[in-house]
């Protein structure tokens, strides 16, 4: 997929995922719209998984604008001028009425209630928009009690109007993923309550049942086209099993390239943005970006690592505003949150002896689980690889290249700065007594990764010796 930099001296699109806004502001952009053409020829129903802030929401937004029949042709031409899809238009342009949903707005505490509100609000907006455009013969009736009826009414009205319907769901895994990690904030549970594996899984399964019901309604309505994005597919096999036609494009090389920038892309961005910068200085900045932007590989066959686009835009913004005085550091919006619920989950998990926490100072052989589910995280046979898959999908770890001839696929930290952040997160997640051990060791010049892993091992030994049942707050 050839990279084309659009408007190299334009506004840096840091934090933006709305294509119309980016074009109105004349933003700099690395063209990835060939993915729209690939989608149109590959699958009518597809999903794409990847670490957060890597361009999935932007692709979903571009896809909606490209397919939307209510967008005037002149406006669509202007929006995609200079892009691959603009120069190579597909027959799907302007052929659908598009229902776009963002599940990141669904609150995990009352997921069914909030999903109903979100879907009904989106359908109401859809009805008003396409009625105003003269593309619907009647209003879509909203059922305030049961959103499934609203979806069925939507499909019927679109079909009776002689049009085709496309549904795009961004962050489809969001609320099920939040339920998995944020148990202390879910459904009124108090922080002091202790959950065993069974009740923990039942709670998450309840969330995926809401997702399953939503997907079942889409399937029954015979919708022409669907596209889903997400970070972690744990809810997909159970929550979305009713949609059997969806093709997972995550490991397709044509789509892997859409979720990040290659080194050659970044070098081109530096050359175009700062034309006075000589090659040696560009190489220095490129090395700094490699340290701070979390190089990511889906598999050992992927030669070039991909770097987080928002991290790159953040770096370029810092360079532009501070010049040679800038201090390279990781984009705070790409860093793990504090406290980090993912690391906390990994530390507390019953299979923590084989968890990604051990990758602080060692590499671990890895057999990726494609389409793994929440159940795999609690299955004794599959949970070690499920935990690694979880950390890999989230971008905490990457596949080493080239492939280790002795060990096969190996997971490693993407770079030293992210390894340090991961180590700090583990330290914060350990019970206080073990965190104190790590801090004392570091005071004696023990390397942080070694000190924290030793404290983690001591925590595991103590936990196993007391035969404690797994608890999210253990």
């Amino acid at each position: 997929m050839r990279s084309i930099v659009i408007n190299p001296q334009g506004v840096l699109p840091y934090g933006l995922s709305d294509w119309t806004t980016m074009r109105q502001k004349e933003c700099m952009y690395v063209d990835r719209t060939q993915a729209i053409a690939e989608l149109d020829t590959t699958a009518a129903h597809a999903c794409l998984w990847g670490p957060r802030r890597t361009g999935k929401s932007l692709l979903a937004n571009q896809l909606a604008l490209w397919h939307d029949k209510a967008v005037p042709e002149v406006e669509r031409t202007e929006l995609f001028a200079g892009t691959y899809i603009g120069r190579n238009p597909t027959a799907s342009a302007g052929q659908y009425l598009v229902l776009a949903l963002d599940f990141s707005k669904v609150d995990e505490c009352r997921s069914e209630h909030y999903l109903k509100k979100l879907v009904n609000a989106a359908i109401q907006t859809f009805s008003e928009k396409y009625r105003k455009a003269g593309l619907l013969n009647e209003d879509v009736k909203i059922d305030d009690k049961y959103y499934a009826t609203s979806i069925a009414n939507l499909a019927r009205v679109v079909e009776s109007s002689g049009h085709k319907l496309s549904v795009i769901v961004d962050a489809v895994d969001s609320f099920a993923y939040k339920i998995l990690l944020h148990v202390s904030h879910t459904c009124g549970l108090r922080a002091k309550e202790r959950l065993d594996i069974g009740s923990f899984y039942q709670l998450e399964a309840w969330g995926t049942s809401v997702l399953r019901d939503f997907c079942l309604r889409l399937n029954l309505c015979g919708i022409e086209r669907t596209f889903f994005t997400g970070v972690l597919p744990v809810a997909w096999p159970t929550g979305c099993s009713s949609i059997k036609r969806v093709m997972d494009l995550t490991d397709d090389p044509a789509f892997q390239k859409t979720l990040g920038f290659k080194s050659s892309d970044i070098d081109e961005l530096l050359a175009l943005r700062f034309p006075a910068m000589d090659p040696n200085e560009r190489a220095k900045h490129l090395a700094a970006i490699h340290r701070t932007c979390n190089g990511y590989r889906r598999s050992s066959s992927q030669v070039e690592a991909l770097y987080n686009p928002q991290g790159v835009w953040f770096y370029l913004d810092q360079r532009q505003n501070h010049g040679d005085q800038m201090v390279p550091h990781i984009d705070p919006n790409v860093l793990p949150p504090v406290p980090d619920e993912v690391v906390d989950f990994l530390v507390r998990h019953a299979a923590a002896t084989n968890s990604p926490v051990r990758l602080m100072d060692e590499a671990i052989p890895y057999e990726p689980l494609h389409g793994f589910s929440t159940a795999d995280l609690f299955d004794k046979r599959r949970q070690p690889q499920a935990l690694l898959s979880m950390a890999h999908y989230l971008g905490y770890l990457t596949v080493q290249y080239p492939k280790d001839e002795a060990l096969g696929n190996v997971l490693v930290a993407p770079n030293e700065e992210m390894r340090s952040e991961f180590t700090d997160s583990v330290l914060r997640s350990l019970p206080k007594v073990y965190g104190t051990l790590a801090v004392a060791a570091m005071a004696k010049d023990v390397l942080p990764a070694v000190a924290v892993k030793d404290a983690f091992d001591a925590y595991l030994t103590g936990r196993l010796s007391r035969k404690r049942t797994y608890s999210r707050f253990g």
Side-chain angles (χ1 to χ4, degrees), residues 62-81:
Q62 290 174 325
L63 190 66
L65 290 167
W66 183 253
H67 285 161
D68 194 345
K69 205 163 192 170
V71 176
E73 195 57 41
V74 173
E75 183 180 335
R76 186 174 7 261
T77 301
E78 291 177 353
L79 280 171
F80 292 95

Side-chain angles (χ1 to χ4, degrees), residues 134-207:
L135 295 171
L136 293 181
N137 299 327
E138 59 181 294
D139 293 331
V140 179
K141 293 182 179 178
I142 306 297
D143 188 325
D144 291 329
K145 292 184 178 180
Y146 195 39
Y147 69 87
T149 305
S150 303
I151 294 175
N153 291 339
L154 170 73
R156 181 188 59 76
V157 170
V158 171
E159 184 179 12
S160 68
S161 301
H163 301 297
K164 295 182 290 187
L165 177 61
S166 171
V167 176
I168 297 174
V169 185
D170 192 24
V172 67
D173 62 322
S174 180
F175 65 88
Y177 167 53
K178 289 175 185 176
I179 288 173
L180 180 64
L181 297 179
H182 303 175
V183 175
S184 60
H185 308 296
T186 301
C187 305
L189 290 175
R190 298 182 300 276
K192 292 184 179 180
E193 289 181 321
R194 305 176 70 81
L195 295 174
D196 60 19
I197 294 175
S199 55
F200 191 54
Y201 175 57
Q202 285 174 5
L203 182 62
E204 198 277 338
W206 172 78

Side-chain angles (χ1 to χ4, degrees), residues 61 165 175 209 234 279 339 441-442 461 472:
N61 182 254
L165 177 61
F175 65 88
S209 71
V234 289
M442 285 186 277
T461 301
R472 168 67 169 74

